Amino acid sequence: QVQLVESGGGLVQAGGSLRLSCAASPSDFSIRTMGWYRRTPGKARELVALIISGGSANYADSVKGRFTISRDNAKNTLYLQMNNLKPEDTAVYYCYADRIATTVTTSSGSWGPGTQVTVSS
């Protein structure tokens, strides 16, 4: 089972930027899919962005053009660059990793504990 730890959340004004990081361990664990999801109180968890090894990235329509997902395989770290943040981006952001290539979460996947992102208007 892979262990995930997110960092980089915080409080930012609307229009600002944040970069989230997700470190995966052990470093020799074979991970095919990594992604970011978010949840706000009273709502279901939703996909923000997903990247599959050897494939392209998928983004939620609400973040296209503002967020960029990337992965550093050498460091086994996933990033989410968030620009032009909006109050509606306020949520707990979770890192997800899976050993299979998938565009949906599976029972074999792993989750980080989450990091809070708050965007003030």
Side-chain angles (χ1 to χ4, degrees), residues 53-119:
S53 297
S56 60
N58 296 333
Y59 294 93
D61 288 342
S62 60
V63 306
K64 283 181 180 177
R66 300 188 297 122
F67 291 11
T68 303
I69 189 172
S70 62
R71 178 178 174 181
D72 186 332
N73 290 324
K75 296 181 178 180
N76 231 26
T77 301
L78 181 73
Y79 302 99
L80 184 68
Q81 179 66 43
M82 305 186 293
N83 298 327
N84 191 21
L85 282 159
K86 304 176 180 180
E88 51 264 42
D89 294 318
T90 296
V92 177
Y93 285 70
Y94 298 90
C95 179
Y96 175 82
D98 206 316
R99 59 186 177 186
I100 64 173
T102 176
T103 57
V104 297
T105 61
T106 73
S107 58
S108 65
S110 299
W111 293 92
T115 185
Q116 176 70 45
V117 172
T118 302
V119 185

Side-chain angles (χ1 to χ4, degrees), residues 4-44:
L4 304 171
V5 178
E6 304 100 337
S7 60
L11 173 64
V12 64
Q13 288 188 330
S17 298
L18 283 174
R19 189 176 82 153
L20 303 183
S21 299
C22 172
S25 61
S27 60
D28 59 345
F29 193 92
S30 177
I31 300 172
R32 296 289 309 279
T33 301
M34 295 192 80
W36 292 96
Y37 290 77
R38 65 187 181 187
R39 175 179 281 165
T40 54
K43 295 185 178 180

